[in-house]
Amino acid sequence: MDFATADLVDAHETVIASCSTQFRNFGGHARFAGPIRTVRCHRDNALLKSLLSSSGDGAVLVVDGGGSLGSALVGDIIAGLAVKNGWTGIIVNGVIRDSLAISALSLGLKALGTNPLKSAKTGAGDADIPVMFGDCTFTPGHWVYSDEDGVVVLPQPA
């Protein structure tokens, strides 16, 4: 992918949103972009696993885990489903596990950190709704761009 978030900010400063959350890069790709799909869930990853089991068509799943560090929302099996089903990346406002295995995948993945504890599997949560964190609203259908400098959102592709 040939873009830089800083250049996107400069070119689209009147319509771009920059996420202030300080994420770490975990996937095999630090630079990724695509249309936004969303999940809001708290320490329960069944809904996001279900979404990532469907065709991603190059989308990025933005997961609002409420910033919880208590249990991982994504592990190597779920990240592997994302790769298999054509998702470009995952941004997790929460933590992941299996970070070494995830680093070898052809996937962009940002998260707050790691915790080996697994999440519940009840399916609680909401999908494809606007989610907000880091002074940014992630609206399904808008575009998210992620690189080494951060995460930005535009209402349409750059």
Side-chain angles (χ1 to χ4, degrees), residues 29-148:
H29 300 293
R31 192 171 293 229
F32 58 98
I36 296 171
R37 299 276 311 272
T38 66
V39 170
R40 180 186 299 134
C41 55
H42 181 70
R43 298 186 67 178
D44 188 314
N45 66 1
L47 183 57
L48 73 92
K49 182 179 181 182
S50 174
L51 278 174
L52 291 172
S53 296
S54 66
S55 178
D57 297 321
V60 175
L61 184 63
V62 177
V63 181
D64 184 2
S68 174
L69 305 178
S71 60
L73 291 172
V74 175
D76 61 340
I77 293 172
I78 290 176
L81 287 171
V83 172
K84 176 184 171 192
N85 292 306
W87 293 81
T88 298
I90 308 170
I91 298 171
V92 183
N93 185 26
V95 293
I96 67 159
R97 66 189 212 159
D98 304 315
S99 62
L100 183 61
I102 288 172
S103 72
L105 295 177
S106 182
L107 180 72
L109 196 151
K110 284 191 187 256
L112 299 177
T114 60
N115 185 332
L117 187 66
K118 63 184 177 179
S119 289
K121 313 278 187 248
T122 67
D126 299 295
D128 292 320
I129 60 165
V131 297
M132 296 175 58
F133 55 85
D135 304 315
C136 195
T137 300
F138 297 88
T139 303
H142 287 195
W143 275 66
V144 64
Y145 295 83
S146 175
D147 68 6
E148 299 82 357

